Amino acid sequence: MARIIVVTSGKGGVGKTTSSAAIGTGLAQRGHSTVIIDFDVGLRNLDLIMGCERRVVYDFVNVINGEATLNQALIKDKRTEGLFILPASQTRDKDALTEEGVSKVLEELKERFDYIVCDSPAGIEKGAQMALYFADEAIVVTNPEVSSVRDSDRILGILQSKSLRAREGQEPVKEHLLVTRYNPARVSAGEMLSVADVEEILAIPLLGVIPESQDVLKASNQGEPVILNADAQAGQAYSDAVDRLLGEDRAHRFLDEQKQGFLKRLLGGGRG
Amino acid sequence: MSLLDYFRSKQSPRSASTAKERLQVIVAHERGQRNQPDYLPRMQQEILEVIRKYVPVEQDDVHVQVDENGNCSVLELNVTLPG
Ligand SMILES: Nc1ncnc2c1ncn2[C@@H]1O[C@H](COP(=O)(O)OP(=O)(O)O)[C@@H](O)[C@H]1O
Ligand SMILES: [Mg+2]
């Protein structure tokens, strides 16, 4: 039975697309056929992060409107076996995704894939609600920062009241907290909320903590999901998160400030 | 953390704990409102208009809340009148 996982947050720029790309890739790496869908109508970006922007011909809305078949629109990832991308439409028509249309496409995808990862747009309005409506699980991406945490709590409220599972009184959407852009040094300096703080406020199970890292920018520059960089801490943290998503037990890493030499600390050195 | 940051963080109160306290308050408040019926904001507006016919009150002087009490709901109306 295919699982639909939405990657959502309320707030923009917190790392939803980065996380969708990494987690979708990680699921496929582990042998599960996976499609990542870009729900950000008008602001297509998943293609860039996945490095397939030059190969987009048809998009999600074309499929809904019957202008292309799913096979024509799906882009096969060149690096990871069993991974496909369904790009967002660049139309400015915000109503292009209808509940009926999305439902039809998802039903078809469910026949072919083990996991359907939905990269949500920002906000709590229609676009974000459409991305989460059919979800079985939700990865709530949160930065350790006041507005992001508050917005995450609001999106949790929407998951619990406006998703299909909530509407039909089924078992609730399974919630996961993914803290991203975490900076342990700033946490120990008392300048940034800790993972424990965020967990306590949002009160949902922790899937992973992704450190703030230059490697993420480098990965997006190159159009390669950061999880493919096994040397990068952010890549390793995403790998752990995927393992946990699949039910494995993994200790959390990179939560503490890395021990640096005194001189380096004095000079304010340290990589992001 | 540079040396400068180190002294700065020792001097000022730790801003993360302020953030946490503020978040706990606002999130609890917003969760309370989450389960309120959709008609509540409109009803609050109309009640406000009725009261204003008689007493000058501000928007935040009127609080309307629905509390679930087992099998019945209680509509609580709180109006702060000018002294
Ligand atoms: N762990 C991280 N460390 C550093 N930068 C990050 C991290 N995660 C995301 N970013 C950066 O944050 C920005 C927004 O990320 P993105 O995934 O596009 O967010 P969203 O999809 O939520 O709008 C991008 O520039 C991305 O490179
Ligand atoms: Mg995005």
Side-chain angles (χ1 to χ4, degrees):
Chain A
M1 191 58 196
R3 295 289 282 173
I4 302 179
I5 303 177
V6 63
V7 179
T8 185
S9 70
K11 191 170 156 65
V14 297
K16 287 179 296 297
T17 301
T18 304
S19 300
S20 299
I23 291 169
T25 302
L27 287 167
Q29 277 181 321
R30 285 157 183 74
H32 305 284
S33 61
T34 300
V35 57
I36 316 175
I37 310 180
D38 190 345
F39 270 81
D40 207 342
V41 175
L43 291 170
R44 176 196 294 161
N45 268 327
L46 179 69
D47 56 340
L48 273 177
I49 302 302
M50 293 299 299
C52 63
E53 69 279 3
R54 307 270 310 269
R55 293 162 64 210
V56 175
V57 184
Y58 295 109
D59 60 55
F60 195 5
V61 171
N62 291 140
V63 179
I64 288 178
N65 293 344
E67 294 148 4
T69 65
L70 203 44
N71 269 328
Q72 289 174 308
L74 283 174
I75 301 172
K76 188 177 189 320
D77 190 85
K78 285 196 167 151
R79 299 184 206 92
T80 313
E81 185 64 33
L83 180 62
F84 287 80
I85 290 97
L86 183 55
S89 165
Q90 288 289 46
T91 173
R92 276 182 290 171
D93 175 10
K94 288 285 169 198
D95 296 325
L97 296 182
T98 59
E99 189 183 309
E100 196 195 345
V102 172
S103 164
K104 220 182 85 205
V105 175
L106 287 178
E107 282 308 316
E108 215 177 319
L109 289 170
K110 272 181 170 176
E111 312 258 301
R112 287 183 51 178
F113 293 98
D114 299 329
Y115 286 96
I116 300 170
V117 176
C118 305
D119 180 19
S120 174
I124 55 168
E125 295 306 316
K126 209 173 156 219
Q129 292 194 16
M130 190 63 80
L132 67 77
Y133 190 68
F134 297 96
D136 300 307
E137 303 189 32
I139 295 174
V140 179
V141 180
T142 308
N143 292 167
E145 170 269 319
V146 283
S147 49
S148 174
V149 175
R150 180 199 206 167
D151 291 357
S152 290
D153 195 66
R154 297 202 63 190
I155 213 75
L156 285 167
I158 290 171
L159 280 162
Q160 290 156 13
S161 62
K162 301 218 155 101
S163 61
L164 180 64
R165 281 178 172 271
R167 286 258 157 93
E168 296 196 335
Q170 300 172 29
E171 192 186 322
V173 176
K174 190 170 177 192
E175 298 157 348
H176 307 273
L177 172 63
L178 185 66
V179 176
T180 59
R181 311 200 69 159
Y182 196 66
N183 187 329
R186 300 194 62 194
V187 172
S188 55
E191 300 168 354
M192 183 182 264
L193 290 165
S194 70
V195 177
D197 293 339
V198 179
E199 268 187 283
E200 187 184 329
I201 293 162
L202 294 178
I204 60 170
L206 183 66
L207 179 69
V209 182
I210 314 299
E212 168 86 20
S213 155
Q214 300 287 341
D215 295 318
V216 174
L217 183 63
K218 214 162 76 192
S220 69
N221 283 342
Q222 294 171 337
E224 270 189 23
V226 71
I227 198 169
L228 293 177
N229 183 352
D231 297 329
Q233 290 193 351
Q236 295 168 18
Y238 273 119
S239 280
D240 289 352
V242 173
D243 289 336
R244 290 187 203 105
L245 191 63
L246 293 170
E248 308 266 331
D249 224 356
R250 291 280 177 279
H252 290 278
R253 297 191 270 173
F254 320 121
L255 299 189
D256 295 316
E257 195 175 354
Q258 277 177 301
K259 295 282 164 275
Q260 291 175 339
F262 174 73
L263 198 64
K264 206 169 171 197
R265 223 180 328 158
L266 192 72
L267 299 172
R271 313 187 328 132
Chain B
M1 188 167 58
S2 71
L3 196 61
L4 197 67
D5 289 338
Y6 180 78
F7 285 119
R8 215 185 278 139
S9 72
K10 291 290 145 172
Q11 282 166 2
S12 56
R14 291 155 70 92
S15 63
S17 56
T18 313
K20 185 182 178 188
E21 282 162 28
R22 290 174 59 220
L23 269 170
Q24 281 171 322
V25 172
I26 190 67
V27 163
H29 173 74
E30 287 179 344
R31 279 182 194 159
Q33 296 199 317
R34 201 180 277 172
N35 302 320
Q36 304 273 311
D38 291 341
Y39 59 74
L40 215 65
R42 240 181 324 119
M43 190 172 80
Q44 174 160 0
Q45 202 54 43
E46 285 178 31
I47 291 173
L48 182 71
E49 277 156 29
V50 172
I51 296 171
R52 270 190 184 152
K53 282 191 195 166
Y54 304 92
V55 203
V57 289
E58 292 301 318
Q59 184 88 31
D60 25 319
D61 292 333
V62 178
H63 288 279
V64 182
Q65 196 177 323
V66 177
D67 286 319
E68 304 283 336
N69 265 337
N71 55 359
C72 74
S73 310
V74 178
L75 175 70
E76 204 180 291
L77 178 63
N78 240 303
V79 187
T80 314
L81 296 178

